[in-house]
Amino acid sequence: MECKMNFEKAAALMENKLGPWKIMALASCVDNYPMVRNVSCLFYNDKVYFKTDKNFRKTQQLYTNPRVAMCWNGVQIEGDAEIKGLVTREPGHRFEKLYKQYLWKSYNAYSHVDTEILVEVTPKLVEIWDEDDQGDAYQIFIDFEKKEAIYKPYD
C-alpha cells in the first residue's frame, strides 16, 4: 500500500545508495533523438556534477534541452542540467578536489584540457527501486520540488 515517507529520510537513503561518486548513465534528447552515455558523477550540494568536453554532442544537446535523466543500479534521477563553465573556474574547486580523490585516473588524464566544463544537475524527481530484507520489491519516489516522498510496494 502506497504511503507518504519523510522527505529527509528518503533523500538520505538516496545519498547512502549513491555515496560520494558513481558512474551513471546520462540520457538526453533533442529533436526526438535520444542519447545515453556514461558520465563520472560526484554528489554534493544536493546536486549531481560531472565534467565533459564543451565540444561533445552531449554538451550541445544540454544547451538545447537541459532536461536529463540519470541512472545507476535502481536509482533514477530526473532533472535539469546547467553548464557551469570551465571546471577549473568553479569557486572553491570542490569538484576538482573530489574528482582527484575518487577518479584519479580520469583526473590525471583530462584535467589539464581547457575545454573541460562542469555540468550541474538539479534533481526534480528521483525514483529508487529496491527490495526489503524479506525480498519484497518497492519503489520510493522523491519529489525535490515539493519536498515530498512516497513509498510504494511493488507487486
Short mmCIF file of all heavy atoms in Angstrom, two decimals, residues 17 71-76 126-131 137-141 152-155:
data_model
loop_
_atom_site.label_atom_id
_atom_site.label_comp_id
_atom_site.label_asym_id
_atom_site.label_seq_id
_atom_site.Cartn_x
_atom_site.Cartn_y
_atom_site.Cartn_z
N LYS A 17 22.73 5.32 -0.97
CA LYS A 17 22.86 4.39 -2.10
C LYS A 17 23.91 4.87 -3.10
O LYS A 17 24.63 4.07 -3.67
CB LYS A 17 21.52 4.21 -2.80
CG LYS A 17 20.55 3.36 -2.01
CD LYS A 17 19.31 3.07 -2.82
CE LYS A 17 18.51 1.97 -2.19
NZ LYS A 17 19.20 0.71 -2.08
N CYS A 71 20.86 7.33 -14.37
CA CYS A 71 20.50 6.09 -13.69
C CYS A 71 21.74 5.32 -13.26
O CYS A 71 22.75 5.29 -13.98
CB CYS A 71 19.66 5.23 -14.63
SG CYS A 71 18.92 3.81 -13.82
N TRP A 72 21.64 4.73 -12.07
CA TRP A 72 22.65 3.82 -11.57
C TRP A 72 21.97 2.84 -10.62
O TRP A 72 21.37 3.25 -9.62
CB TRP A 72 23.77 4.56 -10.82
CG TRP A 72 24.78 3.59 -10.26
CD1 TRP A 72 25.82 3.01 -10.90
CD2 TRP A 72 24.79 3.06 -8.93
NE1 TRP A 72 26.48 2.16 -10.06
CE2 TRP A 72 25.86 2.17 -8.83
CE3 TRP A 72 23.99 3.25 -7.80
CZ2 TRP A 72 26.17 1.47 -7.68
CZ3 TRP A 72 24.28 2.56 -6.65
CH2 TRP A 72 25.38 1.68 -6.60
N ASN A 73 22.02 1.57 -10.95
CA ASN A 73 21.64 0.49 -10.05
C ASN A 73 20.33 0.73 -9.30
O ASN A 73 20.28 0.64 -8.08
CB ASN A 73 22.78 0.24 -9.06
CG ASN A 73 22.67 -1.11 -8.39
OD1 ASN A 73 22.15 -2.05 -8.95
ND2 ASN A 73 23.16 -1.20 -7.17
N GLY A 74 19.27 1.03 -10.01
CA GLY A 74 17.97 1.19 -9.38
C GLY A 74 17.67 2.59 -8.89
O GLY A 74 16.60 2.84 -8.34
N VAL A 75 18.58 3.53 -9.06
CA VAL A 75 18.34 4.92 -8.69
C VAL A 75 18.27 5.74 -9.97
O VAL A 75 19.25 5.81 -10.72
CB VAL A 75 19.45 5.48 -7.77
CG1 VAL A 75 19.18 6.95 -7.44
CG2 VAL A 75 19.58 4.66 -6.50
N GLN A 76 17.10 6.31 -10.25
CA GLN A 76 16.95 7.17 -11.43
C GLN A 76 16.69 8.59 -10.97
O GLN A 76 15.83 8.84 -10.14
CB GLN A 76 15.79 6.72 -12.31
CG GLN A 76 15.60 7.67 -13.50
CD GLN A 76 14.55 7.23 -14.44
OE1 GLN A 76 14.68 6.20 -15.08
NE2 GLN A 76 13.48 8.02 -14.55
N VAL A 126 13.27 11.75 -8.14
CA VAL A 126 14.14 10.58 -8.03
C VAL A 126 13.26 9.37 -7.77
O VAL A 126 12.34 9.43 -6.95
CB VAL A 126 15.19 10.75 -6.90
CG1 VAL A 126 15.95 9.45 -6.66
CG2 VAL A 126 16.13 11.89 -7.22
N GLU A 127 13.55 8.29 -8.48
CA GLU A 127 12.84 7.03 -8.29
C GLU A 127 13.86 5.98 -7.89
O GLU A 127 14.86 5.79 -8.58
CB GLU A 127 12.14 6.63 -9.58
CG GLU A 127 11.33 5.37 -9.48
CD GLU A 127 10.59 5.05 -10.78
OE1 GLU A 127 10.43 5.94 -11.62
OE2 GLU A 127 10.19 3.89 -10.93
N ILE A 128 13.62 5.34 -6.76
CA ILE A 128 14.50 4.28 -6.27
C ILE A 128 13.74 2.96 -6.31
O ILE A 128 12.64 2.86 -5.78
CB ILE A 128 14.97 4.57 -4.82
CG1 ILE A 128 15.76 5.87 -4.77
CG2 ILE A 128 15.81 3.40 -4.29
CD1 ILE A 128 16.11 6.32 -3.35
N TRP A 129 14.35 1.97 -6.93
CA TRP A 129 13.83 0.60 -6.91
C TRP A 129 14.74 -0.22 -6.01
O TRP A 129 15.95 -0.19 -6.17
CB TRP A 129 13.87 -0.02 -8.31
CG TRP A 129 12.82 0.47 -9.24
CD1 TRP A 129 12.82 1.62 -9.96
CD2 TRP A 129 11.61 -0.21 -9.57
NE1 TRP A 129 11.69 1.71 -10.72
CE2 TRP A 129 10.93 0.58 -10.51
CE3 TRP A 129 11.04 -1.42 -9.17
CZ2 TRP A 129 9.70 0.22 -11.05
CZ3 TRP A 129 9.83 -1.79 -9.72
CH2 TRP A 129 9.17 -0.97 -10.64
N ASP A 130 14.14 -0.97 -5.10
CA ASP A 130 14.95 -1.80 -4.21
C ASP A 130 14.07 -2.90 -3.64
O ASP A 130 12.90 -3.04 -4.02
CB ASP A 130 15.56 -0.95 -3.09
CG ASP A 130 16.85 -1.53 -2.54
OD1 ASP A 130 17.15 -2.72 -2.80
OD2 ASP A 130 17.57 -0.81 -1.84
N GLU A 131 14.62 -3.66 -2.72
CA GLU A 131 13.82 -4.65 -2.01
C GLU A 131 14.20 -4.66 -0.54
O GLU A 131 15.32 -4.31 -0.17
CB GLU A 131 13.97 -6.05 -2.62
CG GLU A 131 15.36 -6.59 -2.67
CD GLU A 131 15.42 -7.96 -3.35
OE1 GLU A 131 14.71 -8.18 -4.35
OE2 GLU A 131 16.18 -8.80 -2.86
N ALA A 137 9.91 -6.27 -3.25
CA ALA A 137 10.32 -5.09 -4.00
C ALA A 137 9.47 -3.88 -3.64
O ALA A 137 8.30 -4.00 -3.28
CB ALA A 137 10.22 -5.37 -5.50
N TYR A 138 10.10 -2.71 -3.76
CA TYR A 138 9.38 -1.46 -3.52
C TYR A 138 10.01 -0.35 -4.36
O TYR A 138 11.11 -0.48 -4.88
CB TYR A 138 9.40 -1.07 -2.05
CG TYR A 138 10.76 -0.79 -1.48
CD1 TYR A 138 11.34 0.48 -1.59
CD2 TYR A 138 11.49 -1.78 -0.83
CE1 TYR A 138 12.60 0.74 -1.07
CE2 TYR A 138 12.75 -1.52 -0.31
CZ TYR A 138 13.29 -0.25 -0.43
OH TYR A 138 14.54 0.01 0.08
N GLN A 139 9.26 0.74 -4.46
CA GLN A 139 9.73 1.96 -5.11
C GLN A 139 9.61 3.11 -4.11
O GLN A 139 8.68 3.13 -3.30
CB GLN A 139 8.87 2.31 -6.33
CG GLN A 139 8.90 1.29 -7.44
CD GLN A 139 7.81 1.60 -8.44
OE1 GLN A 139 6.68 1.19 -8.22
NE2 GLN A 139 8.14 2.30 -9.50
N ILE A 140 10.53 4.04 -4.22
CA ILE A 140 10.42 5.29 -3.48
C ILE A 140 10.52 6.41 -4.51
O ILE A 140 11.43 6.43 -5.33
CB ILE A 140 11.53 5.44 -2.42
CG1 ILE A 140 11.37 4.36 -1.36
CG2 ILE A 140 11.51 6.83 -1.80
CD1 ILE A 140 12.49 4.33 -0.33
N PHE A 141 9.54 7.30 -4.47
CA PHE A 141 9.53 8.46 -5.35
C PHE A 141 9.82 9.69 -4.50
O PHE A 141 9.11 9.95 -3.52
CB PHE A 141 8.16 8.61 -6.03
CG PHE A 141 7.82 7.45 -6.92
CD1 PHE A 141 7.12 6.36 -6.44
CD2 PHE A 141 8.23 7.46 -8.25
CE1 PHE A 141 6.81 5.29 -7.25
CE2 PHE A 141 7.92 6.38 -9.08
CZ PHE A 141 7.22 5.30 -8.58
N LYS A 152 6.15 2.94 -2.16
CA LYS A 152 5.15 2.14 -2.84
C LYS A 152 5.64 0.71 -3.00
O LYS A 152 6.60 0.47 -3.74
CB LYS A 152 4.86 2.76 -4.21
CG LYS A 152 3.77 2.09 -4.98
CD LYS A 152 3.53 2.83 -6.30
CE LYS A 152 2.44 2.14 -7.09
NZ LYS A 152 2.20 2.83 -8.36
N PRO A 153 5.02 -0.25 -2.32
CA PRO A 153 5.38 -1.65 -2.54
C PRO A 153 5.09 -2.03 -3.99
O PRO A 153 4.15 -1.51 -4.62
CB PRO A 153 4.45 -2.43 -1.61
CG PRO A 153 3.97 -1.44 -0.61
CD PRO A 153 3.98 -0.11 -1.32
N TYR A 154 5.92 -2.91 -4.54
CA TYR A 154 5.75 -3.32 -5.92
C TYR A 154 5.31 -4.78 -5.96
O TYR A 154 6.00 -5.64 -5.42
CB TYR A 154 7.07 -3.15 -6.68
CG TYR A 154 6.96 -3.45 -8.15
CD1 TYR A 154 6.34 -2.56 -9.01
CD2 TYR A 154 7.46 -4.64 -8.66
CE1 TYR A 154 6.24 -2.83 -10.36
CE2 TYR A 154 7.35 -4.93 -10.00
CZ TYR A 154 6.74 -4.02 -10.86
OH TYR A 154 6.64 -4.31 -12.19
N ASP A 155 4.18 -5.02 -6.58
CA ASP A 155 3.65 -6.39 -6.67
C ASP A 155 4.09 -7.05 -7.95
O ASP A 155 3.94 -6.57 -8.99
CB ASP A 155 2.12 -6.40 -6.59
CG ASP A 155 1.66 -5.94 -5.22
OD1 ASP A 155 2.37 -6.21 -4.24
OD2 ASP A 155 0.58 -5.33 -5.14
#
